Amino acid sequence: MDWETVIGLEIHAQLATRSKIFSGASTAFGAEPNTQACAVDLGLPGVLPVLNEGAVRMAVKFGLAVGAEVARRSVFARKNYFYPDLPKGYQISQYELPVVAGGHLDIELEDGSTKRVGITRAHLEEDAGKSLHEDFHGLTGIDLNRAGTPLLEIVSEPDLRSPREAVAYMKRLHALVRYLEICDGNMQEGSFRCDANVSVRPRGQSTYGTRAEIKNLNSFRFVERAIQYEVERQITLLESGGTVQQETRLYDPDRGETRPMRSKEEANDYRYFPDPDLLPLVLEESFVEEVKATLPELPDARKARFTRDYGLSPYDAGVLTATREMADFYESTLRAAGGEPKIAANWVMGELSGALNKGSLEVTASPVGPEALGGLLRRIADGTISGKIAKEVFEAMWAGEGDAEAIIERRGLRQVTDTGAIERLVDQVMAANPEQVAGYRAGKDKLLGFFVGQVMKVSGGKANPGQLNEILKRKLAPR
Ligand code: ADP
Ligand code: MG
């Protein structure tokens, strides 16, 4: 049978506030365990939560960026369950009335087409603490530092149809929250994590199949692999006459499989009710307008501008705007280079990205910054060096040997533009290769490449290519 995969993602993005969503405790990652959980985060008797306005601003910013409805009134609810890392016995979340509802995100598919993925809702909630299993033999350690860290849970419609699409959506969302500066996106530290809901159905069937939810995937690779495994598991199960259980599963990256964790709880298991300690969140129109004014240029708009203003192909513009950092790097380079957008794009996407990948470096940690790269591109543009020699200069810059100017001088890489000097080299090469000269003059035009290569070789790659071509053609012309 031909099966269709159906996926919906719930993404938890930790909001980049300095303090927690309902208390003044720090959200900084990596502190000594249990040093950053205050009485409010622990839910000790007598305390009251106070909503962090910064977290609300970030949620609203997100809602506006995905074309969603920002609710003028939303409600915090208690989601009740028992778990050692949840000291209050409930998580403050939003249930019936979330702050953001009904938006969308466009993703690009491999064939170059665009797909619109619906965003059902995004709600504010608090993170729980963390259970630590590793350093405790037969015991579980509890670190409550994370308790109360603000989360935006972003729920997609079941619009995704393959593991690849799911990853493309997740990456787009990841880029967006970083563009918006509402989440640092650090997946190792758990700042951006995903629950994947997966089901399959016979192609053509209009109702969805029963889904399994895979919890807490914290890398793009794991998301893709976990979904792939889960799809195959469900198909095998259904084809052998079984049924898929609605359940929560865990992905084990070492074994590359998903395992049942618990049967799926229904909403009523959580006994949701409005939190009596918190007033409904009411947003004035002026507040929303104020947040709107802080929206940066978003990835799609920036991509469109790159194609329009810089004449870049949609592909190049897409790569260069994939992250805000990359786009900033490119535009700074271009400014420093003083023009030639296409050449700057080639360098940023080519030499620079290659070197970054090799060193597993983020663009913000590049040893060659945009000013330095722009300086190198200026030397190409003004004819000081050829594009080929520039690659050698770039490598030296990467190795920390200084700026382009210094390296060109120290290594004597300046391009030979003295016509007399190039002519002497041409004469020398022609004298050494009389047969090829005769061949060229007899009509073998392709031999021109041979002469260019020979002269470049004796010049150490420094002869100005334009001048060289012109001189060669003149001197080789049949007489
Ligand atoms: P819950 O709150 O119990 O997790 P929701 O109805 O809010 O359930 O759905 C959560 C996620 O599951 C959403 O991203 C939604 O798109 C997705 N989803 C719902 N039904 C299916 C299905 N049959 N197959 C795949 N994903 C689904
Ligand atoms: Mg869920």
Side-chain angles (χ1 to χ4, degrees):
M1 188 175 319
D2 187 17
W3 297 94
E4 184 179 41
T5 301
V6 175
I7 304 159
L9 299 185
E10 295 164 90
I11 292 195
H12 290 90
Q14 282 184 345
L15 296 175
T17 56
R18 270 183 311 210
S19 59
K20 296 202 174 157
I21 184 167
F22 299 117
S23 82
S26 167
T27 54
F29 181 86
E32 274 290 296
N34 299 308
T35 55
Q36 289 179 173
C38 73
V40 174
D41 307 322
L42 302 177
L44 295 184
V47 301
L48 284 173
V50 177
L51 180 59
N52 183 336
E53 187 183 312
V56 177
R57 280 180 192 277
M58 291 181 188
V60 170
K61 208 170 174 186
F62 176 80
L64 294 170
V66 296
E69 189 86 29
V70 174
R72 293 299 180 266
R73 182 175 176 281
S74 63
V75 170
F76 286 97
R78 290 188 181 179
K79 180 178 181 180
N80 300 278
Y81 64 93
F82 295 104
Y83 205 70
D85 64 16
L86 188 74
K88 293 203 292 281
Y90 61 86
Q91 176 193 29
I92 304 177
S93 181
Q94 295 189 309
Y95 182 55
E96 275 167 319
L97 295 171
V99 63
V100 167
H104 56 79
L105 197 65
D106 291 339
I107 59 170
E108 214 160 279
L109 304 183
E110 269 149 81
D111 64 4
S113 65
T114 301
K115 171 169 178 158
R116 178 154 288 193
V117 180
I119 290 176
T120 317
R121 55 187 272 149
H123 61 254
L124 282 164
E125 61 183 26
E126 57 179 343
D127 210 342
K130 238 189 327 207
S131 304
L132 308 169
H133 305 287
E134 262 146 44
D135 303 324
F136 304 89
H137 292 287
L139 297 169
T140 295
I142 301 288
D143 177 8
L144 294 172
N145 283 351
R146 204 177 67 176
T149 296
L151 290 179
L152 189 65
E153 175 170 342
I154 305 156
V155 182
S156 86
E157 289 289 303
D159 286 347
L160 301 157
R161 290 291 173 271
S162 71
R164 286 273 173 98
E165 281 186 18
V167 170
Y169 166 78
M170 192 176 169
K171 284 190 173 162
R172 200 81 192 126
L173 206 55
H174 186 253
L176 179 63
V177 296
R178 290 173 59 195
Y179 258 88
L180 296 173
E181 295 179 314
I182 62 172
C183 172
D184 68 19
N186 189 323
M187 296 173 75
Q188 282 87 42
E189 294 181 0
S191 303
F192 190 85
R193 32 191 223 265
C194 169
D195 299 343
N197 294 269
V198 181
S199 66
V200 297
R201 62 178 171 187
R203 199 173 294 282
Q205 179 181 303
S206 62
T207 53
Y208 293 132
T210 304
R211 71 188 145 118
E213 177 171 355
I214 313 165
K215 280 280 178 199
N216 258 327
L217 298 161
N218 68 350
S219 85
F220 297 120
R221 200 165 358 110
F222 290 171
V223 167
E224 184 161 354
R225 289 192 189 156
I227 296 174
Q228 191 62 54
Y229 175 88
E230 183 58 21
V231 167
E232 282 161 23
R233 186 188 73 85
Q234 292 184 12
I235 292 174
T236 309
L237 193 60
L238 292 167
E239 290 193 336
S240 63
T243 51
V244 174
Q245 298 303 313
Q246 180 158 332
E247 64 185 357
T248 302
R249 298 177 71 87
L250 267 188
Y251 178 64
D252 178 345
D254 297 329
R255 307 178 64 162
E257 61 182 33
T258 65
R259 279 200 300 273
M261 183 163 122
R262 53 172 189 254
S263 67
K264 171 79 187 161
E265 54 289 293
E266 298 293 334
N268 54 16
D269 294 333
Y270 288 122
R271 294 169 292 123
Y272 279 102
F273 61 87
D275 191 312
D277 288 344
L278 288 158
L279 290 168
L281 171 60
V282 175
L283 302 179
E284 303 288 340
E285 189 62 39
S286 60
F287 178 85
V288 177
E289 284 306 313
E290 202 186 301
V291 175
K292 194 180 263 175
T294 68
L295 278 180
E297 185 182 30
L298 297 176
D300 289 343
R302 199 163 191 183
K303 180 179 169 188
R305 181 167 61 79
F306 277 23
T307 53
R308 188 184 62 235
D309 292 0
Y310 300 146
L312 301 179
S313 70
Y315 175 80
D316 289 0
V319 172
L320 291 172
T321 55
T323 67
R324 185 171 179 169
E325 290 81 3
M326 183 58 97
D328 288 346
F329 190 102
Y330 169 70
E331 290 206 282
S332 303
T333 301
L334 185 54
R335 225 171 296 126
E340 310 251 30
K342 181 64 190 156
I343 291 174
N346 287 344
W347 274 83
V348 171
M349 292 168 60
E351 299 299 309
L352 182 91
S353 295
L356 288 172
N357 283 344
K358 223 190 268 169
S360 297
L361 290 171
E362 297 286 329
V363 69
T364 44
S366 174
V368 176
E371 286 296 326
L373 182 57
L376 174 63
L377 300 188
R378 262 201 322 274
R379 297 283 80 86
I380 304 173
D382 69 12
T384 308
I385 52 173
S386 68
K388 201 159 167 205
I389 290 289
K391 295 192 177 172
E392 179 186 336
V393 177
F394 178 81
E395 273 176 33
M397 289 166 73
W398 192 265
E401 289 182 29
D403 64 12
E405 200 61 50
I407 293 164
I408 292 166
E409 292 314 321
R410 185 154 11 92
R411 296 196 176 189
L413 296 174
R414 200 169 269 284
Q415 187 161 241
V416 179
T417 52
D418 168 355
T419 314
I422 299 175
E423 282 185 347
R424 280 193 294 281
L425 294 174
V426 169
D427 290 341
Q428 189 187 320
V429 166
M430 285 173 65
N433 298 282
E435 276 174 39
Q436 279 82 353
V437 173
Y440 180 87
R441 287 183 175 153
K444 287 193 191 161
D445 293 352
K446 280 199 194 118
L447 281 169
L448 185 68
F450 164 81
F451 287 105
V452 171
Q454 291 299 309
V455 177
M456 276 298 183
K457 203 159 146 196
V458 294
S459 77
K462 291 185 292 184
N464 176 294
Q467 284 170 303
L468 172 58
N469 251 293
E470 186 260 319
I471 292 169
L472 268 173
K473 280 188 184 155
R474 176 158 47 78
K475 290 206 175 239
L476 283 169
R479 37 199 81 211

